[in-house]
Amino acid sequence: MNADAIVLVALVVAVLSATGATGAALTARRRSRHAESEAALAREELERREASTREDRAVQDLILRSMQEGVLLFDSRHDTAFANAALERHLGAKPDSVDLLYPVDLREAVRRVAASAEAVIVEVERTAPDRWLRVTATPAGEGAVLLVVTDVTDARRTEAVRRDFVANASHELKTPAASIQAVAETLRSVVDADPAAVHRFAAQLEREAFRLSRIVADLLDLSRLETGSELGERVRLDALVREEVERYDDQARESGVRLSVDAPQAATVTGSARDLSLLVRNLIDNAIRYTRPGGSVEIGVAEAQAGEISLVVRDTGVGIPRRDLTRIFERFYRVDRARSRETGGTGLGLSIVRHVAENHGGSVAVTSELGAGTTFTVHLLGPS
């Protein structure tokens, strides 16, 4: 091989060596960049997962904080692992452990669940203020126990009201029904032996039947009103009051009571003419029944303030004791049961008044003085 060939071969080898080295360097750099890219992607994925976890945790915390139910988690050592804000409202404080959990019935429930791994439901009463709590204790794995505390005070009160209502309604219906039966049996026995007594017993039978009919009608009205009123009409309250006063003119005259109306201007409200008539009727009827002969009942309708109409029924009757003022709107509540039955009252009229007023977005208030009379004031919203 001549010298030129040798030089050429050397040059080729040098070029190839340089090219190989350069390629190796490029490959190394490419591998380094790929590793960095993978590491960056891994970091981004980790950050994304951590952000997602934080978001999930924030959502869970928000849900738990906004719950009306109290949530309390005890770990396997019976120490408190978590408690939301509602739990402190229901129990008064957040216990650090089961040993500090009150009422004691809840402590026993937690231990029973931890031992048996079976859910337990208990109801406990707290005082100051009086509240009833329903607590569900469930196993949460490895000796942990989860408590969910629900305030059932309103449900208990509703159930008590329902029981009282059924008992009172049964009693009120039974009384005239028994009287009707007794009078009917007596009437049958005296129709031949004492014809002169027939008229007296027939009149008594009619009175008891009318009273029974009124109780049933008031119960039906009250049941309907508890589901709300249809409020689509524009009602002239002043005209409605005059119609109802005219309806009671004869009853007032027979009772020796002066009935008057003061409604100098048109007063319009949005609501149900049927239900507002029921409200006015019950207030007038109640006032006449409890006003002595020679007394008076005044009904006034006026604009109390911008957008509000007031209806005032004022009598000079027997009045209501102060201790009874907060209860007279309860169903079947009577201040004087003997007088109420004597006058034919059902004990439902003022409850109907309250329901009608509230259904119309209004309110009813009462002031009274024994022996001097009573004033009922109903505030209703005018047309929007």
Side-chain angles (χ1 to χ4, degrees), residues 108-378:
E108 294 174 353
V110 171
R111 289 172 174 156
R112 194 158 67 245
V113 170
S116 66
E118 294 182 357
V120 171
I121 298 176
V122 295
E123 287 196 4
V124 295
E125 184 179 13
R126 279 200 64 222
T127 56
D130 291 337
R131 310 298 294 172
W132 277 95
L133 304 174
R134 176 176 294 139
V135 182
T136 303
T138 55
E142 299 182 359
V145 177
L146 177 68
L147 296 186
V148 177
V149 183
T150 306
D151 190 329
V152 294
T153 306
D154 290 341
R156 280 224 170 200
R157 286 175 181 164
T158 300
E159 179 62 22
V161 168
R162 187 194 67 80
R163 285 197 306 268
D164 290 345
F165 176 71
V166 171
N168 288 332
S170 300
H171 176 73
E172 293 293 336
L173 290 170
K174 183 173 67 176
T175 302
S179 297
I180 289 172
Q181 182 179 357
V183 172
E185 291 172 353
T186 304
L187 189 60
R188 185 175 58 183
S189 65
V190 303
V191 67
D192 294 325
D194 188 5
V198 170
H199 179 74
R200 186 174 74 254
F201 283 115
Q204 184 179 348
L205 189 64
E206 184 179 11
R207 283 195 304 272
E208 294 296 339
F210 179 72
R211 183 180 165 213
L212 181 62
S213 175
R214 282 199 62 187
I215 293 173
V216 171
D218 282 354
L219 283 171
L220 292 174
D221 282 330
L222 196 55
S223 176
R224 177 178 59 80
L225 289 169
E226 286 178 341
T227 64
S229 298
E230 296 181 3
L231 308 176
E233 303 175 66
R234 290 174 66 88
V235 182
R236 279 281 303 275
L237 190 61
D238 56 307
L240 184 148
V241 165
R242 287 192 177 90
E243 289 176 7
E244 293 301 329
V245 166
E246 186 177 348
R247 184 197 299 267
Y248 279 92
D249 266 344
D250 290 341
Q251 179 180 329
R253 232 181 343 262
E254 290 173 4
S255 301
V257 175
R258 183 174 60 84
L259 199 55
S260 62
V261 179
D262 180 21
Q265 297 178 337
T268 303
V269 298
T270 301
S272 165
R274 174 189 181 184
D275 292 348
L276 290 171
S277 293
L278 201 57
L279 178 148
V280 174
R281 197 176 306 153
N282 275 286
L283 286 176
I284 295 175
D285 182 71
N286 193 71
I288 293 173
R289 289 178 186 277
Y290 289 94
T291 299
R292 301 183 185 92
S296 64
V297 175
E298 300 173 356
I299 302 98
V301 179
E303 185 174 343
Q305 55 187 25
E308 190 174 273
I309 305 297
S310 69
L311 165 69
V312 179
V313 179
R314 182 180 296 106
D315 66 57
T316 59
V318 297
I320 302 169
R322 183 173 297 179
R323 66 177 182 275
D324 296 303
L325 286 176
T326 58
R327 300 196 60 190
I328 59 173
F329 295 103
E330 296 177 14
R331 292 174 291 191
F332 292 116
Y333 186 81
R334 292 184 175 92
V335 175
D336 185 343
R337 289 187 173 273
R339 181 176 175 83
S340 178
R341 291 200 174 96
E342 179 186 330
T343 59
T346 65
L348 295 170
L350 292 180
S351 183
I352 288 173
V353 167
R354 185 195 65 190
H355 274 80
V356 173
E358 291 177 352
N359 286 354
H360 284 73
S363 62
V364 57
V366 58
T367 58
S368 187
E369 184 179 343
L370 275 177
T374 302
T375 300
F376 286 93
T377 303
V378 179

